Amino acid sequence: MISDKYWVYFVGAGPGDPDLITVKGRKCIERADLVLYAGSLVPKELVACAGADAKVVDSSSMTLEETHAMMTETIRSGGTVARVHTGDPSLYGAVKEQMVLLDRGGVNYEIIPGVTVAFAAAAAARVSFTLPEKVQSLIFTRLEGRTPVPDKERLRELARHNTSLAIYLSSTNPEGVARELIEGGYSEDTPVVVAYRVGWPDEMILPTSIANLAETVKDAGIRQQAVFLILPGQQDDPHFSRLYSPEFSHGCRE
């Protein structure tokens, strides 16, 4: 349900496929007076449902101050804003600084979750991040680049857990990713899925291994907009979940 008490809606647009936005997110766009979307990552088709009188603006070349000023102007005129982000706003979405400014101005806002690219990539590749008795954890992370990473969260440190990993914002340095993973303890033959522009017409889902990661990325001509899924245990003999075993009772089955 969409409430009238909010002036700004941060909408998770999903990875790119216009059908992967939530119903609530789409309704927010349809009702908004200003639709501000990150055009470098969100396809224009996804915001095509905006109202005929709505102002639809690509924010990819704008600064934080410029986007905030535009939202404030709309709010002061009595309008509502749909701030549309790729994937889910809570993950690498640069939402915190926008919320701080809105909080300072006493502006009510709501966050509408979206499908993050790692989940869309796993679905497209037909893999599971968790495997019974093998892998029960998933870490979202990135390689250090222009944005620093805390020492305890460096990729080689997280790799020591040998869990499934979803590595974002690191496709410009696949060699560094592979090196950090191997130094952290993953075997070179650990399965990897390289997922490029998931949900877009030029989507690529490329299975490979840690040892061949850099070559796969280079051969595909990928320089950005890719996520790497690190998937230990995928090649092992499967252990099936006990949930559907006839010997396993629970609250819905004796």
Side-chain angles (χ1 to χ4, degrees), residues 1-28:
M1 180 177 180
I2 300 174
S3 172
D4 292 329
K5 66 180 180 179
Y6 299 111
W7 295 322
V8 174
Y9 296 89
F10 291 100
V11 179
D17 183 345
D19 288 336
L20 284 180
I21 190 171
T22 65
V23 173
K24 187 171 184 178
R26 183 181 177 90
K27 287 180 178 179
C28 287

Side-chain angles (χ1 to χ4, degrees), residues 160 186 191 203 215 226:
R160 302 188 196 285
Y186 284 90
E203 171 189 296
E215 182 181 1

Side-chain angles (χ1 to χ4, degrees), residues 39-60:
S40 58
L41 297 171
V42 176
K44 195 169 184 178
E45 292 79 8
L46 201 144
V47 296
C49 61
D53 296 328
K55 186 176 183 180
V56 180
V57 180
D58 179 355
S59 66
S60 56

